[in-house]
Amino acid sequence: MKAIMYHYVRPFNPDLPGLNHLHIDDFRKQLDYFEENYGFVSKADFEKAFVTGDIPEGVVLTFDDGLKCHYDYVLPELKSRGLWGFFFITTGIYQTNDLLGVHKIHILLGAIDHKKIYDQLHEIVTPEMLSDKGMDGFTTSYSLITDDNEYSMEVKRTLNFYIAYEFRSRIIDQLLELNNLSHYNNVADFYVNHAEIQSLNEAGMIVGSHTVNHFVMSKLNVEDQALEIKESMKYLENICPDIPYRSFCYPYGGPHTFTNETEAVLAANDFKLAFSLDNVDIIKSNISNQPFALSRYDCNAYPYGQVRKVMISK
C-alpha cells in the first residue's frame, strides 16, 4: 500500500512564481496514473487493515496543512472520481488569525529571489538563536525529499528546523516586512474555514490533526507535544463531532521529527494512526507494530508529481 503526500495543489499564481506547488492539471494526470497502475484503496479496506492486519494493494491520498486549495481544487476532483483521502488540519491559525510560519516562508521564497532571502537571513540570525538539537537529522533527511535549490533549502532548514522557536516568528515577519510582503496574511484566503472542514468530513474525507502550531514535535518537551496533539484534535472534533477516528500527521515528516514519546502520547489519546514520510510502502508489520509511523511518499516521487518550475533564482 502506498500513501501519497500532497501540499499545494493549485493553478500557477504569477504573484508567487517560485511557490512550489503541484499544478491541478498535473494532479489530475497523477490520479489517472495511479488508477491505471495501482488502483486506489477503498476507505473500508484501509480501515479493515487495522483489524485484520491484511494490507490492501493500491494508493491512499493524504493532504497536509488545511490549505484552501484543497477545498477549491482537490475536493471536487476526488468527489468526481469517487475517491477519499486524509486531510490534516493545523488548528492554531483559527485562534491567532495569522498564517503559520512555514507558509510565510513559502510566500517569501515564492515571491523573492532565493539568494536575496538567504543573504538577508544570515544578516539577521545570530548563533545564539540556533539550536543544535537533532540538527544532523534535519540536514540529511531534508535533502533526500526536496528538489529545492541550495539557497531555498538552507532558508527552510534554518527557519523550520534550526532556529529556536522563541526567535522564529519575529525573524520571519521581519523578512516579510523587508520584502514588502506583510500584506500576505489573510487566513481566510489561505486555509479552509470551519464550514469547509465540515464539508470535507461530510464528503467522506478523514479529517485529522496536524498539531496546533505546526512545530517539529521532536524539538518540544513531552508536555508541549501532548498539548499540540490533544488541543488540535479537540478543536477539530468540536467542528466535526462525528469524525470516525483520530488520525495524525507529523509536521515536516520523517523519523527525525518525532520521538517514542510522541507516539506514546498518540496511543494514550486514542489515535488510530499517524503518518510520517519515508518514501516506502506501508507493509503488514507497519500496521501491527508501527501504526504511529506509517510511511508516505512525496507526490514528486511519481510521474506527474513534480513542480512546474518557474524558479526565481538558482
Side-chain angles (χ1 to χ4, degrees):
M1 179 166 61
K2 302 176 185 296
I4 311 297
M5 177 186 70
Y6 296 92
H7 288 90
Y8 300 100
V9 181
R10 56 190 290 176
F12 175 72
N13 181 350
D15 293 332
L16 297 172
L19 179 69
N20 283 349
H21 69 286
L22 182 63
H23 195 284
I24 180 59
D25 292 341
D26 294 330
F27 176 64
R28 295 185 181 110
K29 291 175 183 177
Q30 188 166 72
L31 293 182
D32 291 340
Y33 172 84
F34 286 148
E35 178 63 46
E36 181 177 348
N37 289 275
Y38 305 111
F40 292 96
V41 176
S42 72
K43 187 160 55 171
D45 284 346
F46 179 84
E47 293 167 4
K48 189 166 67 174
F50 288 83
V51 178
T52 66
D54 296 327
I55 303 297
E57 294 293 326
V59 167
V60 174
L61 305 172
T62 73
F63 304 88
D64 291 7
D65 296 346
L67 300 170
K68 190 78 164 182
C69 61
H70 295 164
Y71 183 81
D72 291 342
Y73 301 105
V74 171
L75 181 60
E77 193 63 31
L78 298 189
K79 289 172 68 174
S80 72
R81 295 169 181 255
L83 299 176
W84 68 286
F86 286 93
F87 289 78
F88 294 106
I89 313 293
T90 308
T91 59
I93 54 100
Y94 303 108
Q95 285 89 36
T96 64
N97 199 36
D98 191 19
L99 264 60
L100 294 169
V102 65
H103 297 134
K104 291 180 180 180
I105 296 165
H106 294 166
I107 288 167
L108 280 165
L109 295 171
I112 305 298
D113 180 281
H114 295 170
K115 187 177 186 305
K116 179 180 178 181
I117 300 298
Y118 172 87
D119 290 339
Q120 290 174 340
L121 180 62
H122 282 268
E123 286 284 324
I124 297 169
V125 172
T126 56
E128 63 268 18
M129 295 179 179
L130 303 177
S131 168
D132 61 0
K133 184 177 181 181
M135 197 172 286
D136 288 343
F138 297 126
T139 300
T140 55
S141 62
Y142 182 77
S143 63
L144 297 176
I145 62 172
T146 181
D147 56 0
D148 288 323
N149 64 52
E150 60 181 305
Y151 297 115
S152 62
M153 188 183 299
E154 191 60 26
V155 168
K156 288 181 179 180
R157 281 175 175 159
T158 301
L159 291 175
N160 286 328
F161 303 141
Y162 300 162
I163 202 159
Y165 282 132
E166 61 188 289
F167 305 108
R168 181 173 181 257
S169 293
R170 175 173 59 81
I171 290 171
I172 293 172
D173 287 343
Q174 186 175 347
L175 289 168
L176 287 169
E177 186 174 351
L178 277 172
N179 292 283
N180 299 311
L181 294 171
S182 298
H183 60 284
Y184 277 102
N185 201 31
N186 191 336
V187 165
D189 289 340
F190 210 88
Y191 303 105
V192 290
N193 59 37
H194 287 192
E196 291 163 346
I197 294 172
Q198 290 173 330
S199 293
L200 288 167
N201 182 61
E202 291 165 0
M205 309 299 144
I206 303 296
V207 173
S209 165
H210 201 35
T211 73
V212 175
N213 294 300
H214 204 278
F215 291 155
V216 178
M217 291 289 97
S218 60
K219 291 183 67 174
L220 306 180
N221 61 45
V222 67
E223 291 81 10
D224 288 340
Q225 290 188 53
L227 282 173
E228 287 284 329
I229 291 167
K230 292 191 290 186
E231 292 303 313
S232 62
M233 198 68 227
K234 179 181 176 181
Y235 192 94
L236 294 169
E237 289 172 338
N238 283 335
I239 298 172
C240 303
D242 58 341
I243 291 175
Y245 53 85
R246 292 182 167 186
S247 60
F248 185 80
C249 173
Y250 301 103
Y252 307 102
H256 59 293
T257 65
F258 61 97
T259 66
N260 292 337
E261 292 175 330
T262 321
E263 295 184 70
V265 169
L266 292 166
N269 286 276
D270 300 321
F271 280 76
K272 180 192 286 285
L273 60 93
F275 284 104
S276 178
L277 177 63
D278 285 329
N279 277 340
V280 296
D281 284 6
I282 298 171
I283 60 176
K284 186 171 184 175
S285 62
N286 300 144
I287 295 289
S288 57
N289 300 327
Q290 297 176 300
F292 303 121
L294 298 180
S295 301
R296 292 191 295 175
Y297 290 92
D298 192 292
C299 65
N300 65 24
Y302 288 93
Y304 310 109
Q306 293 75 37
V307 173
R308 295 183 181 184
K309 287 288 187 185
V310 185
M311 295 305 296
I312 295 177
S313 171
K314 295 184 179 180

